[in-house]
Amino acid sequence: MRKTLLFSLLVLLTLYITITGIGCTSQNSDVMNGDEDLTKYVNPFIGTAFTGHTFPGATYPLGFMQPGPETGNFSWDYCSGYFYDDEKINGFSQNRLNGTGIVDFGDLLLQPFSGEKREDLSSTFNKSTEVATPGFYSVVLTDNDVKVEVTTAPHVAFHRYTFNADKTAGLLADFQSGLVWSKDRISTHVLENVVNFESDYIITGYTRRREWTERTYYFVIEFDKPIVSKELLEQRDPREKAPRYILNFDLGNDSVLNTKVAMSTTGIEGAKSNLAAEGKERSFDDVYKDAKKEWNRYLSKVSIEGTDEDKTNFYTALYHLYIQPNNIADVDGKYVGPNGKISQSPTGKFYSTLSQWDTFRAAFPMYTILSPEIINDLVNNMLEFSEQKGHLPIWALMGQETFTMIGNHSIPMVVDAYLKGFEGFDAERAYSEIKKSLTEGKHKNAGWEEYDKYGYYPYDLFKVESVSRTLESGFDDYCAAIMAKKLGKTEDYEFFMNRSGFYKNHYDNETKSMRPKDSKGEWLTPFDPYRLAHADSNIGGHYTEGNALQYTWHVLQDIPGLIELLGGKEEAGKVLDFLFTTEQESTGTLSDVTGLIGQYAHGNEPSHHIAYIYMYLDRPEDTQRLIRQICKNFYQNKPDGLIGNDDCGQMSAWYMFSAMGFYPVNPVSGELVFGAPQLPKTTLNLDNGKTFTIEAINLSEENMYIEKIELNGSIYTEKFITYDDIMNGGELTFYMTSNQ
């Protein structure tokens, strides 16, 4: 009893040390050579409830490993494996997806416990013991009588378990575990597995699995104490292909077990090399210290003034932006891409998990400003992918193609980088892969022959998402056209620019909306503009995670042309007003369609640019009012503070741009359309050594409107600021007022 009490006191003391920064897990020392520790403003629990699908585990900027707690591992609710309101933790897996709407990862579950094995080793936990900060997570498992801490290097996850000294030290190693769509898939997602006990300290092996896509990961697990016994658990289902073991350890006079888990896409030797490079002779505290320092380096790219609440919302958004993309290349630059072979990255990196359909809109443009050092690598990696697969990545996961979503929005990313002057990739090579992706039927989302024949995707030939596919493809065509023009390819420019206008073939003046049309040129009848559609569900329909009211505005490349179609600014304004003010509910429901203002749905990406369209209608006050409403209501410092999936940083990037006062409506134009700043002062600490400062004079709860704007001390009357203006450094000043 006395030892149990001592253990409880030890747990409370170490928890206090972790929170306050006293002692070995120093939270406040050696940070950016004495600069402010910005990680204190990051709340990893934001978005872990409702539909944010974020997770609080340990991360490293752009890193491969993301160890953390798992509270559930099947269904859409558990895309990240964690839901804030859950009362039990199943264990600690090694990788996650941030804010996605599809399930995968959650590989290789470890669950420590003190004492005798129980049939169910999931454990309750006290929320007051749960600590999360960039690079670190900790919790006390009540039932299992263990304190768990995790941190991570780019390729190696570090676990530290403090057991009850009165009891034996046990660990469940579940190689079958992984996030899946349904309970039935728990038994069938693993296709092949090998586990080797190389010694009393080291386990190696690999798992080939399929959920979102088929992939193989190799692993090495290293303990600092010997395994004294192992028990192979019985299969829960005859379809299981991977084992579950109970491991017991000899801790000697210690109560702590340190565990390192390294992974690789190339092989066990790759995992061992990653462990040797990032894990050998490094303590848990040293690794966390390095992760924290690196997170501060990324967070310090932006300095803001405001309340602590302002800082928490902003820096958490910035944190979410850099949880991915993930560099899956080993420390020697080797990786496995879509051809299934080991390749050598010329750059030493291979980024995956880009979520292109989401992140081309704002996240990638934000990277071009804050992290130009990664842009050339990102583009070259997409080109490598395309040369292996036959098309640029659509939605790549662990180097493999998922074919998720529509269009091919690697194209605007590549073109954005090219137009902004990035020169670390071959432009002709890049254009060749763009043209190939847009003209050759190398993937299931193409249908170029019909697209070119009809000038749209007929709904009788393309049963789902026909309207959205035309609209999204039109933006990719536009991007190809402007790159072709700059490269002097006149014929290609004319071809792709013509295709970029195909959106007009879906416009129905009677309903003032983008309406499905069949191969005979006849409109879909009956037609319900409120009806939601989703190709990945049993709903089906002609739109992508939305309806006609939302997708009518999805003409990013030609907002003025869309306004003319709608009858000019006054008539277009009436249609836009209706979107935001209609009280009629959607026909059907979708978990992705959230954050409604009328039928505007901020919780999903097709709506993200729409509030800024009022700027094109000469009604800036409506944009400014809506931006305040969205920022205030849909981005809050609490677990359910995100109104929709964070989608690999896109939701967060929208907030960052909008809080600064502008947004890339057309992401490849180099223009950032003004909204209204939500922060008193923001300074971008640019990679070129310059700074760009945005200041909002007289900003307050009432003063949400812009009276005038100055750029570098001179009155500025444009509706946008440019990428070049920002990268050249300077000062942008908004004078705020309560008058519309």
Side-chain angles (χ1 to χ4, degrees):
M1 177 67 72
R2 182 175 297 175
K3 288 185 178 180
T4 302
L5 176 61
L6 287 173
F7 170 76
S8 299
L9 291 172
L10 174 63
V11 166
L12 290 174
L13 176 60
T14 54
L15 179 62
Y16 173 76
I17 287 171
T18 298
I19 295 172
T20 61
I22 301 171
C24 61
T25 314
S26 175
Q27 297 259 341
N28 296 312
S29 61
D30 299 312
V31 176
M32 299 298 293
N33 298 317
D35 292 342
E36 183 181 14
D37 176 19
L38 296 175
T39 64
K40 68 185 179 183
Y41 295 117
V42 175
N43 179 5
F45 291 110
I46 291 177
T48 58
F50 190 48
T51 64
H53 290 180
T54 63
F55 64 96
T59 61
Y60 191 95
L62 310 178
F64 188 33
M65 304 295 284
Q66 293 146 346
E70 175 191 294
T71 66
N73 66 352
F74 67 90
S75 82
W76 187 80
D77 289 335
Y78 291 102
C79 289
S80 74
Y82 179 94
F83 194 77
Y84 185 82
D85 294 334
D86 288 342
E87 298 177 349
K88 285 191 173 184
I89 289 175
N90 299 332
F92 298 83
S93 53
Q94 315 310 311
N95 50 22
R96 300 298 175 84
L97 288 167
N98 169 41
T100 61
I102 293 183
V103 175
D104 209 303
F105 284 8
D107 296 326
L108 209 168
L109 188 78
L110 301 177
Q111 176 75 324
F113 61 97
S114 296
E116 296 300 316
K117 177 194 74 175
R118 307 188 312 276
E119 183 176 349
D120 178 9
L121 286 170
S122 62
S123 178
T124 58
F125 64 102
N126 190 321
K127 278 288 181 185
S128 67
T129 70
E130 199 175 22
V131 177
T133 189
F136 178 84
Y137 173 88
S138 178
V139 70
V140 176
L141 301 179
T142 307
D143 298 333
N144 290 8
D145 215 2
V146 179
K147 178 185 179 184
V148 178
E149 299 167 281
V150 292
T151 188
T152 191
H155 297 84
V156 185
F158 290 71
H159 299 233
R160 182 162 64 188
Y161 310 135
T162 303
F163 294 88
N164 187 326
D166 272 352
K167 301 177 181 179
T168 57
L171 180 70
L172 168 66
D174 187 345
F175 299 96
Q176 179 72 30
S177 185
L179 304 187
V180 291
W181 271 117
S182 65
K183 288 183 178 180
D184 181 66
R185 291 284 291 149
I186 292 176
S187 301
T188 61
H189 72 280
V190 173
L191 306 176
E192 183 182 4
N193 171 268
V194 170
V195 176
N196 306 306
F197 286 84
E198 293 195 1
S199 73
D200 292 341
Y201 295 87
I202 295 176
I203 305 173
T204 62
Y206 71 88
T207 299
R208 181 168 64 90
R209 61 164 291 181
R210 180 170 186 85
E211 188 56 43
W212 196 350
T213 188
E214 185 173 318
R215 58 186 175 83
T216 301
Y217 66 89
Y218 300 84
F219 60 85
V220 55
I221 308 172
E222 182 179 270
F223 306 105
D224 71 341
K225 306 290 194 309
I227 302 169
V228 294
S229 66
K230 63 178 182 288
E231 175 189 354
L232 177 63
L233 297 178
E234 292 184 3
Q235 285 183 306
R236 296 160 298 185
D237 187 291
R239 294 170 294 177
E240 289 184 350
K241 297 291 180 65
R244 297 179 300 129
Y245 286 97
I246 296 294
L247 310 177
N248 289 295
F249 296 85
D250 180 5
L251 301 187
N253 295 323
D254 200 355
S255 60
V256 176
L257 175 67
N258 284 286
T259 305
K260 302 173 184 178
V261 185
M263 285 186 171
S264 169
T265 64
T266 65
I268 293 173
E269 291 306 312
K272 287 184 174 180
S273 295
N274 292 338
L275 178 61
E278 298 177 358
K280 291 297 183 184
E281 309 303 326
R282 298 185 72 202
S283 72
F284 183 100
D285 294 323
D286 287 340
V287 171
Y288 169 50
K289 180 179 176 180
D290 288 349
K292 179 180 183 140
K293 183 177 181 180
E294 187 70 355
W295 272 117
N296 267 296
R297 187 173 74 83
Y298 277 83
L299 296 173
S300 66
K301 291 173 180 286
V302 185
S303 302
I304 71 169
E305 294 181 8
T307 65
D308 284 352
E309 198 81 353
D310 290 335
K311 292 179 180 180
T312 297
N313 283 329
F314 189 91
Y315 284 115
T316 302
L318 182 53
Y319 167 74
H320 285 152
L321 186 68
Y322 286 102
I323 293 176
Q324 67 293 297
N326 308 119
N327 173 27
I328 68 169
D330 292 339
V331 291
D332 62 1
K334 290 186 174 62
Y335 70 95
V336 171
N339 64 2
K341 301 176 181 178
I342 296 176
S343 300
Q344 177 69 51
S345 169
T347 68
K349 296 181 175 63
F350 191 81
Y351 289 107
S352 197
T353 320
L354 274 167
S355 190
Q356 281 92 334
W357 184 81
D358 304 290
T359 59
F360 86 94
R361 304 166 196 269
F364 189 84
M366 186 66 79
Y367 293 137
T368 67
I369 295 171
L370 297 184
S371 289
E373 73 279 2
I374 72 172
I375 298 301
N376 289 322
D377 286 346
L378 286 169
V379 173
N380 280 307
N381 294 162
M382 287 188 274
L383 301 182
E384 292 169 49
F385 184 105
S386 186
E387 288 165 348
Q388 292 184 27
K389 188 68 175 175
H391 59 83
L392 286 161
I394 295 169
W395 210 124
L397 180 72
M398 195 76 89
Q400 308 305 309
E401 182 59 79
T402 68
F403 295 108
T404 300
M405 310 310 292
I406 58 174
N408 189 321
H409 296 325
S410 289
I411 292 166
M413 292 179 175
V414 174
V415 173
D416 188 25
Y418 172 68
L419 295 177
K420 286 175 177 173
F422 288 90
E423 298 178 343
F425 57 91
D426 185 299
E428 289 289 346
R429 175 192 179 205
Y431 180 75
S432 175
E433 297 306 317
I434 288 173
K435 183 176 180 179
K436 179 173 66 177
S437 298
L438 287 176
T439 57
E440 300 179 14
K442 295 287 187 178
H443 61 84
K444 67 178 185 179
N445 291 340
W448 303 127
E449 182 177 348
E450 294 85 355
Y451 184 60
D452 289 331
K453 177 180 178 180
Y454 296 103
Y456 56 94
Y457 286 106
Y459 73 82
D460 55 330
L461 303 181
F462 297 85
K463 302 299 184 181
V464 294
E465 301 179 294
S466 61
V467 179
S468 294
R469 289 179 66 173
T470 300
L471 298 175
E472 301 259 9
S473 296
F475 184 68
D476 295 339
D477 289 329
Y478 164 81
C479 294
I482 56 178
M483 186 169 182
K485 184 177 183 179
K486 191 167 183 179
L487 289 171
K489 302 178 187 296
T490 303
E491 186 175 341
D492 283 0
Y493 164 75
E494 292 174 350
F495 171 76
F496 285 118
M497 188 57 73
N498 177 63
R499 288 211 316 192
S500 76
F502 282 1
Y503 74 89
K504 298 173 184 177
N505 297 328
H506 271 301
Y507 179 71
D508 170 30
N509 193 52
E510 181 181 348
T511 61
K512 300 289 185 183
S513 65
M514 297 295 177
R515 185 172 178 178
K517 184 185 290 186
D518 66 15
S519 57
K520 296 179 181 179
E522 297 178 355
W523 297 119
L524 173 69
T525 303
F527 171 60
D528 178 4
Y530 287 85
R531 178 167 294 281
L532 295 172
H534 194 313
D536 293 329
S537 70
N538 58 8
I539 294 177
H542 308 288
Y543 304 89
T544 301
E545 299 179 3
N547 60 26
L549 292 173
Q550 295 146 13
Y551 252 101
T552 292
W553 304 97
H554 205 285
V555 186
L556 308 181
Q557 72 273 22
D558 189 16
I559 298 295
L562 175 61
I563 290 170
E564 287 305 306
L565 268 187
L566 288 163
K569 291 182 180 180
E570 184 175 350
E571 289 302 312
K574 293 177 183 177
V575 180
L576 189 55
D577 289 343
F578 182 81
L579 174 74
F580 283 101
T581 60
T582 179
E583 296 181 359
Q584 182 174 334
E585 295 183 358
S586 306
T587 305
T589 60
L590 278 177
S591 298
D592 292 299
V593 179
T594 54
L596 292 173
I597 305 174
Q599 279 292 303
Y600 169 88
H602 190 73
N604 211 25
E605 280 66 26
S607 287
H608 275 190
H609 66 291
I610 297 178
Y612 287 88
I613 293 179
Y614 279 112
M615 289 296 294
Y616 295 81
L617 302 177
D618 301 324
R619 293 170 55 180
E621 68 280 358
D622 290 300
T623 290
Q624 293 159 17
R625 171 182 51 79
L626 285 165
I627 298 307
R628 169 63 65 86
Q629 182 179 353
I630 295 167
C631 287
K632 181 179 179 180
N633 294 343
F634 297 158
Y635 293 88
Q636 298 181 358
N637 179 19
K638 55 183 183 177
D640 60 353
L642 286 182
I643 203 65
N645 303 160
D646 191 59
D647 286 314
C648 294
Q650 168 58 27
M651 281 280 288
S652 291
W654 186 97
Y655 176 78
M656 291 172 63
F657 271 124
S658 295
M660 288 189 286
F662 37 71
Y663 185 80
V665 173
N666 176 343
V668 303
S669 67
E671 298 174 353
L672 298 140
V673 177
F674 287 130
Q678 306 301 309
L679 300 168
K681 189 174 183 179
T682 305
T683 301
L684 304 179
N685 302 307
L686 303 173
D687 190 64
N688 59 15
K690 299 177 181 180
T691 61
F692 187 79
T693 300
I694 305 126
E695 189 167 7
I697 305 296
N698 298 323
L699 177 67
S700 68
E701 186 71 23
E702 297 78 20
N703 294 347
M704 69 177 76
Y705 302 104
I706 298 172
E707 182 178 10
K708 64 177 180 177
I709 301 173
E710 291 178 354
L711 179 62
N712 297 325
S714 299
I715 293 295
Y716 190 79
T717 57
E718 296 286 352
K719 296 178 180 177
F720 57 84
I721 193 169
T722 69
Y723 170 81
D724 288 339
D725 289 332
I726 291 174
M727 301 309 290
N728 288 334
E731 297 179 358
L732 179 67
T733 306
F734 296 91
Y735 291 85
M736 309 302 294
T737 178
S738 61
N739 299 320
Q740 297 188 34

